[in-house]
Every structure is written in structure tokens, then in C-alpha cells.
Amino acid sequence: MRQENRPLVSNGGRGQAVYFFGKNDWRTFEQGAQKEWLVTNGIGGYASGTIINANTRKYHALLTAALNPPGWRMVLLSKLDERFTAGDCTYNLAANEHKSGFSELGFVHLQQVAINPIPTFTYSFGDIFLEKTVFMVHGQNTSVVLYRVLNGAEPGLLTLTPMVNCRGHHFMTSAGEINFTQSKVKGGVMLASREDMPSLLLTCDAGEYIADGKWFNGMFYAAERERGENPYEDLYLPGVFKIPFAAGESKTITVVASTAETGGLDGEELLRAEKNRLKELVTKAGYRDHLARGLVRAADAFIVQRRSTGKKTVIAGYPWFADWGRDAMIALPGLTLVTGRFQEAREILDTFAGHCQKGLLPNAFFDGLADPVFNTVDASLWFVNAVYKYLVYTADLEFVRHNLYDTVKEIIDWYMKGTDYDIVMDQDGLLSAGSPCVQLTWMDAKVDDWVVTPRHGKAVEINALWYNAIRVFNLLSVLLGRDALYADLPDKIKASFQQEFWDESGGYLYDVVTPAGADSSVRPNQLLAASLPYSMLSREQAVLVVRKVWRELYVTYGIRSLSPWDPSYQGVYRGDRLRRDGAYHQGTAWSWLIGPFITAYRRAHNYSADSLTQARLFVAPFRSQLRDHGVGYISEIFDGDEPAFPRGCIAQAWGVAEVLRAYVEDVLEIQPPGRKKIKELEGGKNH
């Protein structure tokens, strides 16, 4: 605790983009709950809530700890509610909904919220100001709540009520289900709960802790009801912190929630350290543009440490996704290369290369499984593309030679001769994969035994990636002084692709080709044939593909997964799991596809001045999207129907990454620094 005489300040520092919100953003409880904040700790843990400090999801908490980074995420501290008594008046700052229908509306005292991405909440009541800042200590399962309070003319008392838990973040708790025991420690309390789970340390550097021990029954989570999930939970109230104030007194108070022994932590020093860390990342990336700088900061949340490998990996999205191979490889260029974080890029590539089996990269690392699952056809092909992007950004041939080339070769060899899940190159050079009961592409929704969008056979984006992978492998072989083993294969693949996938009358690409015929559904997967580094399309074909996607699939914040003119189209993503998964790839718009769309658009139009103007228009709406849903981040998905309401994860890795990559490369026109050197080397080798 530190005495304060200076005024309260809520800003992000010079050059930092801050998202400000005021009373017009929470005129009702429902309106205020639509915008959420997120802070992370670099090992998979996070804290998250709404701008009115009401928890509306089971994932909202002040401390969700990653006990086996980045997995085993446990909700340990759900909330910290405040009341302030001055004279005869008590001001309740808490915002909660109860299953009885009763609501606490403490957000009426909320004056301003600033997020940068660290959230600061400023309350004004009577002649009193209270500022609350929430952040995490990087690399630790430690959350800090920093209060700055300027008391008024009467003596006051601040009461802080922690609501604690001990559960996996996908689950819910009922009263009495957990036997909490508590022991007082200096400045607070140590709470033990489930066997083999770490204790929760709660400390406050001012006032005193008074033990109690009761349950808050029936916390209501509106977002869970909308998702068709159980919306009610009980939370344990171990006691309260009481901090007295003299008339006119100003204090800064640090509250710490942690799974580790922490003593004497200074909240202001910790906050400065975290802000400086984020500032250094922005400085390293080197962009002056505010949108690019904001996305660089957002990208940091997804780059996390994996304990099992000792290297970095990628969290696919918050709050509920783990690290997925496909998502990591698609996101890698935007998260690490565009941001200048080349060491992290090397670690991520190493992490997934080390888990390659029979040419397959892991689809996902799931809690509770000793080994990752491998049911994906495209993660390995995206890996090859990520290797290419790494090379043109860094020109680091030695790392590719010693760490990546053999994995790329392994992927190509296994895909040619055949590997698991019926993945194999056909006699025509095209790649076939899967069966009706297995989902292998990114359109992978499955409810029990129902594969919503099976896409088995020869999928358009898989073969675009396959052609790209062969070209990349040949390039790597030449650059490393080896023989290009498959010099003639790209021409064969291209000829077969043109014959099988191009719809001359419609001017677009079929989505899947099977022995039974072609699936003529208009989907965004064809974009990759026009956006990947190596394309099989003529410029005229690319123009037609982009135009088709723009006309039928583009919405403001993403690209629809299916044309609204298709009878199977589902334009709204909401309801229980069956309804949501039924719409996930059947019309729902995806933010990450904006990246390939912009890249394909600019390339198809030969990077003309007019195409640059249009690309700026495609990017512009994301400046406001960063103020919505997950503030400072880009949402996973949006309704296919206008007004394209944000859905799914509030912060998605490949959404942030692909918007950032396309913005830097195709709008700001900042080219990868190693590209010129690689082109020179390639030219020299070919001569």
C-alpha cells in the first residue's frame, strides 16, 4: 500500500492506443455485458470479464491459472466485488445477476473504462473516486488488482469480497462440492481446496482480512444460457478485506491472487513492468500506424510457453481453445514474423516439427491426453507454408537446413505414398483425404457422429496448399544445394487442378471433387488458390474467384463459410451446441479469411492503386471491431447475416494474425525483409 497525492490517471502512455468507454456503453446491464476485456500471462492463463465487471460466462474470472502450461486451466478467483461506506452511505459497486432475477447494478457508478489492453475502471460516487486496474504477471499464475482511491470529506471503509473457485474453466461448481479450508497469512489468506490442486493465495497490502466462509448461490451467466449451457453457478466467499480511509485520504492498494508464494509485491511496479514489456514488443515491430500497433499487442496474448517442450506454442483463441496445429501455422506469420519475433517463430516451428508423425502435424493438444491428436490434413501443409514465410522474413537458411527441411520432406513423402486418414496423392497428382465419418479440413465441426461439413475427397484448399507445398519444397531443395526431386510434379498438379476444379460457366472453383462428382457449393476455400505464395490460377481466373467471393461471401468483418443463396445456409450462429455447430461452417463468417481475401484481391488486380484503395476499405472496419466483443482483439466469427454480430471466441489467434499480416503486407505494402535475398539466392542457384 502506498500513500498517494497525485490525481488518478487512466491512459496507456504516449503512443499507445487506448480504447475508452463511457456511460453510453452501459446504459443497460445487457448493453454493458456485450464488451469484454482480456489479459493473459504468457503461459496459457488469463483473466477476463465485461466492461461493467459482471461475469456473464463461466470463463470470466480474475485468475484462470494454467497449471500445466498452456493447459489444465483452472478458475481460482472468479470475482472481487467492492463496496465503499462513507458516513451513512454505502455504495455497492458490484455488478451481478442472480438466478432469482435480482441484479446488482454497481456499474451505475462506473464513469469510464480504458483498455490498452490492460483494463482500468474508474468509479465516481459521492465525492469519491475509485480506480481499479486488472493485469497479470507475465510467466506466472498471478493476477493483480490495483486500486487507487481518492476519498471524500468523510472517513470511509472499502470492503473487498473475493468469490473463489477451483474448477476446470469448462465446468461449473455447486455449493458444497468443494471443501475449502483457509489459513491466515501475512496480508491475507491461503485457501486450499481440491486434492492435488495448488492453494490460492489472496493478499492485500492494506487493511485487514476477516474470515467468514459461505456460499454465493445462483450466479447467473447469460452467455451460457444463450449457448444452451447450464447458466448457474455457486461461488465460495471465504471472507472480506476491509481497508479504512481517513477523510480526504488517497491510497494505492495492491491485491494479489496467485498459485505461488508471493510476498511484498508492489502493484505499481508490476504494472509498469507489464506496460514496458508490451511497449517493447510494439517498438520491436517498428510500426507507427495505430492499427498495426494495436494488433501487435493483441498478437502477444496468443504466444505462450509450453512446459512439455520448453518452447513457445500458440493458443488458438480465448477463452476456451487450446493450441491447435492448423491455427498455429496459419497464425504464425502474423503473430511472429510480421511482429519481428523471429525467435518465437523458430520455437513454434520446432515445437510442431518435433511432434510430426507419418507426415502429420498435431491437430490439437488436449488436456487429459498423453499425446496430441492428428486428425487434420492441412496442418502439415500450412506448416510448409509457414516455413516459406519464415524464410522470406528472415533469410535464415541455416535454421531451415538443420531444423525444418527434413520435416518438410517427411510431409511430402508421406502425403505422396499415403498416410493415416486416407491421405494420399492420386495418380493425377491431386491430394485426396478422409472419409464421410471423419472431418480433416478446417471446416471440422462434428456433433457426436454427425460430421457437419465432411468434405472428404479432393478439397480445393487442400490441393492449393499441396501445390504450394511442392513448390516450396523444390525451392528449399535448390537453396540448400540439393536436387529438386519433384521438379515436374507442380505442372501435373496444376493441369489436373484446372481440369477438375474450374467451373468455366460460373467463373469459380468447385469446393470438393469426389468420384461421385464435384461439390459446386460456393465457399471461401477457393480463396487460398489465389492467395498462397504459389498459385495455379491465371490472373483472369483469380479476378473471377475474388469477385465471386466478394459478391456472395463477404461481410464487414469476415468471409462467410457458405453462400447465402445455398439452401444449407445458416446465417445466425447461436443456440445450443447442435445449432451452433450446424451453422459453424454453413454460413458463419470467419475473421481470419479476410487475410487471404485481401491478399488475393491485391494480387489478382496486379497491386494497382485502385486495388490498394479498396483494400484499405476492407481493413477499415476492424478499427471499430477492436472496440467490440473482446476489446483490443478480433473475434473468431460473426453471423453471416447482417449486422454480422460477433460470436465465438472474443479473441482469436488467426483472426488477429491474418488481419495484421494482410494489413502490413498488402495495405501498408511493407514487404518481408528477407524476400529480396531469397530471390537473389534462388536466381543464383538456377543459373
Side-chain angles (χ1 to χ4, degrees), residues 323-336:
D323 42 345
W324 289 65
R326 174 191 300 114
D327 298 57
M329 294 304 108
I330 292 174
L332 184 140
L335 297 185
T336 64

Side-chain angles (χ1 to χ4, degrees), residues 16-70:
Q16 298 290 326
V18 187
Y19 305 99
F20 289 102
F21 302 91
K23 288 184 176 291
N24 59 302
D25 293 296
W26 50 78
R27 289 193 174 110
T28 65
F29 193 108
E30 292 74 21
Q31 184 185 8
Q34 290 178 3
K35 300 183 191 301
E36 303 173 47
W37 57 268
L38 168 74
V39 293
T40 61
N41 67 354
I43 57 173
Y46 63 90
S48 183
T50 63
I51 61 171
I52 58 173
N53 277 317
N55 287 3
T56 60
R57 301 181 186 272
K58 60 187 175 185
Y59 299 99
H60 285 158
L62 289 178
L63 175 58
T64 298
L67 302 184
N68 186 23

Side-chain angles (χ1 to χ4, degrees), residues 383-461:
F383 172 84
V384 178
N385 187 67
V387 172
Y388 173 82
K389 295 293 286 187
Y390 174 80
L391 192 59
V392 297
Y393 266 89
T394 66
D396 185 358
L397 269 173
E398 289 311 299
F399 181 75
V400 173
R401 182 194 306 274
H402 296 295
N403 297 73
L404 305 177
Y405 179 82
D406 287 346
T407 302
V408 173
K409 186 177 186 303
E410 178 185 351
I411 291 167
I412 300 299
D413 289 347
W414 275 103
Y415 274 46
M416 291 184 71
K417 67 184 179 183
T419 187
D420 295 343
Y421 305 104
D422 299 317
I423 299 169
V424 64
M425 185 180 75
D426 202 351
Q427 292 182 353
D428 59 5
L430 297 176
L431 203 63
S432 180
S435 62
C437 59
V438 177
Q439 77 282 31
L440 296 179
T441 72
W442 78 276
M443 292 186 165
D444 57 358
K446 185 176 183 180
V447 184
D448 300 324
D449 293 329
W450 176 38
V451 177
V452 182
T453 316
R455 304 186 70 240
H456 57 284
K458 299 172 182 177
V460 64
E461 84 281 10

Side-chain angles (χ1 to χ4, degrees), residues 388-396 475 479 531-533 599 603 607 661 665-666 669-683:
Y388 173 82
K389 295 293 286 187
Y390 174 80
L391 192 59
V392 297
Y393 266 89
T394 66
D396 185 358
L475 170 67
L479 292 178
S531 67
L532 286 166
T599 297
R603 181 188 294 177
Y607 298 94
R661 181 202 59 76
E665 293 181 355
D666 299 310
E669 296 186 322
I670 301 173
Q671 295 305 306
R675 173 175 287 175
K676 183 178 180 182
K677 182 177 179 181
I678 294 302
K679 291 293 184 184
E680 291 173 353
L681 287 173
E682 183 182 9

Side-chain angles (χ1 to χ4, degrees), residues 607-669:
Y607 298 94
S608 67
D610 285 346
S611 73
L612 176 58
T613 299
Q614 184 59 54
R616 288 175 178 147
L617 294 176
F618 289 138
V619 168
F622 287 96
R623 298 180 190 274
S624 60
Q625 210 282 304
L626 287 167
R627 298 189 74 258
D628 197 13
H629 206 202
V631 177
Y633 300 93
I634 291 176
S635 303
E636 176 192 12
I637 52 177
F638 299 83
D639 285 344
D641 288 352
E642 295 289 4
F645 196 87
R647 307 283 187 183
C649 278
I650 64 170
Q652 193 75 3
W654 58 9
V656 168
E658 273 299 282
V659 172
L660 175 58
R661 181 202 59 76
Y663 184 53
V664 169
E665 293 181 355
D666 299 310
V667 179
L668 299 181
E669 296 186 322

Side-chain angles (χ1 to χ4, degrees), residues 325-326 329 349 352-364 372-384 407 411 415:
R326 174 191 300 114
M329 294 304 108
L349 289 168
F352 283 91
H355 284 85
C356 187
Q357 293 184 12
K358 297 174 68 174
L360 297 177
L361 252 66
N363 189 24
V373 295
F374 288 87
N375 59 319
T376 170
V377 60
D378 53 342
S380 297
L381 302 176
W382 279 114
F383 172 84
V384 178
T407 302
I411 291 167
Y415 274 46

